[in-house]
Amino acid sequence: MEATLQQAVNIHTLLAKRPLIISGPCSAETEEQVMQTALQLAATGKVDILRAGIWKPRTRPGSFEGVGTKGLPWLQQAKKASGLPVAVEVATGKQVEDALHFGVDVLWIGARTTVNPFSVQDVADALKGVDVPVLIKNPINPDLELWIGAVERVAKSGIQNIGLIHRGFSSYGNTEYRNAPMWHLAIEMKRRNPDMLMINDPSHICGRRDILSAVAQKAIDLDFDGLIIESHIDPDNAWSDAKQQVTPERLGEMINSIIWRSEDIHSEELHANMEKMRSQINQLDDELMQLLGQRMKVADKIGLYKKENNITILQTNRWNAILDRAFVKGEQLGLSKEFITKYFDAVHMESINHQNKIMNK
Ligand code: PEP
Ligand code: MN
């Protein structure tokens, strides 16, 4: 009991380390593969926790679905030999029990599980009375409420140490990513849970090796607390997610090449300069708001005019003309087409709402 308590304290301390680096194979495949990966990862000196999938929820049947419970003793041995605590994905209450029985230190809930409140509840019920850190991946679909719901279910079962993993979101059609990062959702989740560990999973965002470093760097620049990246002793022949895994050696190089910026602003000069620029930004934001307020007042006037003359609110040609004009101007000012579209969509919606109110008063 005392040893368990000691271990529990240590794992919580370890999870508070910044940056926190978790790595290991997508799936545990063989005893030898788990052991070799763990030893090579430990040798890099860059990794804090060993990950491995034991049960693999696959999108399509027929893919490798994990070795199951027989892989848990392999993890125990790898932990003993490498000194790295281990993390495993759980999707059912039974898997929670099995993982805990074999001394798994950290559990995580996968993206395909977070989407399903029944599954999350089943996992949460098995966690009652247990002191183990639980990391919760974002759901496959870009739905913040579902992610928050999973956090609440796990928290309600008494788990105190909950962390978040941003692994990107599934979107229809091919993009350069396997799962679009949609960074704004992770940032909003962080804003709502400021004290929760938030780590990034470049492997499942990228789905390929060549852009892992760039995504990892971006996450660190956005002040994420750490990374979970898949690694394998023979990536090309991995039984799952072969394209996105890297060797432990490459993992070490990647972590080394990341530029770790600090959120704290130390020197006074730096601080003063930042303050100056920030107050310029605040000033400009105030002016933009003033202008937007004025723009809506003009829209109100037009609304009244349309009402008196019985004209529809939306006039497609006028709207196309506004956008075309904005694209040309925006390009000259270094504003992307994507931004211009989003910005004008939002302004347009607000205008329409204003006019709607006036016309139906
Ligand atoms: C994994 O970590 O191997 C995994 C299955 O990830 P996700 O749940 O993010 O798809
Ligand atoms: Mn994987």
Side-chain angles (χ1 to χ4, degrees):
M1 185 63 208
E2 223 168 67
T4 323
L5 202 65
Q6 185 70 36
Q7 197 179 28
V9 171
N10 289 340
I11 192 69
H12 294 305
T13 313
L14 181 63
L15 279 180
K17 174 185 169 281
R18 299 293 177 265
L20 182 74
I21 307 295
I22 304 178
S23 187
C26 177
S27 305
E29 298 164 5
T30 65
E31 189 172 351
E32 181 63 11
Q33 170 245 7
V34 171
M35 180 61 82
Q36 284 310 318
T37 314
L39 292 176
Q40 291 181 25
L41 284 174
T44 68
K46 301 285 169 196
V47 174
D48 304 301
I49 296 174
L50 174 71
R51 63 148 279 157
I54 292 287
W55 303 280
K56 302 299 298 179
R58 306 316 303 262
T59 300
R60 306 271 305 271
S63 324
F64 174 58
E65 293 187 326
V67 291
T69 317
K70 79 165 187 223
L72 290 170
W74 306 344
L75 285 179
Q76 251 180 338
Q77 287 154 17
K79 172 179 166 179
K80 209 165 154 201
S82 67
L84 295 174
V86 294
V88 156
E89 172 177 354
V90 288
T92 67
K94 174 74 169 69
Q95 291 172 2
V96 170
E97 283 163 22
D98 287 349
L100 293 174
H101 179 76
F102 284 94
V104 170
D105 303 276
V106 176
L107 304 177
W108 88 80
I109 297 180
R112 288 165 193 75
T113 305
T114 309
V115 287
N116 186 340
F118 288 132
S119 301
V120 174
Q121 194 56 53
D122 187 40
V123 167
D125 288 342
L127 288 168
K128 286 203 177 105
V130 179
D131 179 24
V132 66
V134 179
L135 309 179
I136 304 179
K137 285 198 170 194
N138 68 255
I140 296 233
N141 49 324
D143 183 343
L144 219 54
E145 293 305 311
L146 219 39
W147 200 1
I148 290 168
V151 170
E152 286 170 349
R153 284 177 201 280
V154 172
K156 265 193 177 167
S157 72
I159 295 293
Q160 306 232 332
N161 200 347
I162 299 177
L164 304 164
I165 302 177
H166 168 230
R167 51 79 77 197
F169 301 88
S170 174
S171 61
Y172 188 72
N174 288 336
T175 63
E176 71 170 313
Y177 300 106
R178 177 176 170 194
N179 291 292
M182 303 190 189
W183 294 101
H184 60 289
L185 292 179
I187 290 167
E188 176 60 13
M189 191 65 178
K190 209 159 123 63
R191 196 185 64 77
R192 293 209 211 172
N193 301 279
D195 299 323
M196 229 173 249
L197 167 77
M198 167 68 92
I199 64 179
N200 179 256
D201 176 348
S203 304
H204 292 90
I205 288 178
C206 299
R208 50 189 246 226
R209 279 167 218 138
D210 58 327
I211 52 173
L212 285 175
S213 273
V215 168
Q217 182 69 61
K218 173 137 189 190
I220 295 309
D221 289 344
L222 290 173
D223 200 32
F224 277 59
D225 299 311
L227 301 166
I228 177 167
I229 302 180
E230 288 182 342
S231 57
H232 192 286
I233 44 169
D234 182 8
D236 283 333
N237 291 306
W239 296 1
S240 60
D241 289 353
K243 285 202 197 113
Q244 70 197 30
Q245 304 205 58
V246 292
T247 60
E249 190 189 353
R250 175 73 198 117
L251 188 275
E253 289 167 6
M254 257 175 64
I255 301 297
N256 249 342
S257 70
I258 288 175
I259 301 163
W260 306 95
R261 294 179 236 268
S262 144
E263 199 201 8
D264 299 334
I265 304 162
H266 299 300
S267 95
E268 267 184 30
E269 192 191 338
L270 267 179
H271 189 77
N273 285 336
M274 283 297 288
E275 278 307 298
K276 213 156 89 195
M277 290 187 282
R278 281 179 174 162
S279 75
Q280 281 172 10
I281 292 269
N282 286 349
Q283 176 60 33
L284 288 167
D285 280 342
D286 287 350
E287 287 173 24
L288 284 171
M289 300 271 267
Q290 289 285 344
L291 286 172
L292 281 171
Q294 284 174 26
R295 190 191 191 283
M296 291 310 152
K297 287 218 173 77
V298 177
D300 287 348
K301 250 194 227 161
I302 295 182
L304 203 59
Y305 193 75
K306 282 178 181 167
K307 181 179 182 175
E308 284 163 5
N309 294 286
N310 226 6
I311 307 172
T312 56
I313 293 183
L314 178 66
Q315 289 171 305
T316 313
N317 284 344
R318 165 68 183 145
W319 181 236
N320 284 338
I322 290 185
L323 270 186
D324 286 343
R325 216 174 138 255
F327 287 149
V328 175
K329 268 222 143 66
E331 197 176 0
Q332 290 163 357
L333 294 166
L335 303 171
S336 72
K337 214 167 169 174
E338 191 197 354
F339 169 72
I340 294 286
T341 309
K342 276 192 189 147
Y343 167 76
F344 273 92
D345 269 349
V347 170
H348 190 217
M349 268 327 292
E350 183 72 8
S351 268
I352 287 180
N353 290 342
H354 269 248
Q355 295 191 351
N356 208 2
K357 245 189 230 156
I358 288 186
M359 291 180 87
N360 296 304
K361 203 152 49 186

